[in-house]
Amino acid sequence: MKEQEKIINNENWFIVEILLKCEPINKNENQEMRRVSIWGNHHLIKADSASEAFDKANKLGKREEFKFTNHYKIEMEWIFIGIGELLPIYEDIEDGAEIMWTDYGMISNKNAMKKPYKKGELLELIKTKKASL
């Protein structure tokens, strides 16, 4: 993405929700019902198609992963788990700006892992939404 690129052709911009979960590094991977914190961060993506927007969003999501030590001295990590929404936009906004977020609260890891869409599912949703306009 180019720095501070203005939207000129609005049909080439999308809002994507990047889903991240936060949990201790030393977790029991086999415990699907463990509680995790999940956030959906919304970003602007410039792309020639919804498919390209999805791919760019995945790269961005992977770059948002990081580890830290919380105030209880527990080693934690934010993990990219996928894309929750992919929507075309029609307003004048700058490339890469995070414009919204969602705090899904503490939910089970099993439910967190149900949040992301697969690429084909999102592309089909966009087709369905366009067809209904």
Side-chain angles (χ1 to χ4, degrees):
M1 290 185 272
K2 296 178 184 176
E3 280 188 23
Q4 301 302 310
E5 184 173 347
K6 302 283 184 184
I7 295 175
I8 297 169
N9 183 352
N10 292 348
E11 65 192 42
N12 290 341
W13 290 82
F14 298 85
I15 297 171
V16 296
E17 180 186 27
I18 294 173
L19 297 172
L20 299 160
K21 68 177 179 176
C22 185
E23 62 183 335
I25 291 173
N26 296 325
K27 60 197 166 277
N28 181 350
E29 294 282 346
N30 297 321
Q31 187 181 16
E32 287 189 357
M33 295 303 290
R34 70 185 182 273
R35 306 302 276 178
V36 299
S37 180
I38 182 172
W39 282 67
N41 297 322
H42 292 75
H43 294 261
L44 292 174
I45 300 288
K46 183 177 182 184
D48 291 330
S49 68
S51 179
E52 181 185 351
F54 184 93
D55 293 341
K56 287 178 79 172
N58 268 295
K59 288 178 186 173
L60 183 59
K62 289 174 186 168
R63 288 196 312 252
E64 289 190 4
E65 294 183 328
F66 69 96
K67 297 177 182 177
F68 65 99
T69 302
N70 70 13
H71 59 282
Y72 296 112
K73 307 290 188 236
I74 298 171
E75 289 184 89
M76 304 289 289
E77 62 185 333
W78 281 101
I79 302 166
F80 170 64
I81 62 171
I83 306 301
E85 291 185 276
L86 185 113
L87 308 166
I89 62 161
Y90 306 100
E91 299 292 327
D92 292 341
I93 306 174
E94 294 178 353
D95 190 14
E98 182 175 331
I99 58 169
M100 6 187 313
W101 53 266
T102 303
D103 179 358
Y104 290 101
M106 292 295 290
I107 63 175
S108 71
N109 184 64
K110 183 178 180 179
N111 284 336
M113 298 311 292
K114 290 179 183 178
K115 289 276 184 201
Y117 286 96
K118 292 188 174 36
K119 184 176 181 178
E121 294 171 325
L122 278 176
L123 298 178
E124 190 59 39
L125 281 172
I126 289 172
K127 283 184 193 175
T128 303
K129 288 178 182 178
K130 281 185 177 181
S132 67
L133 293 178

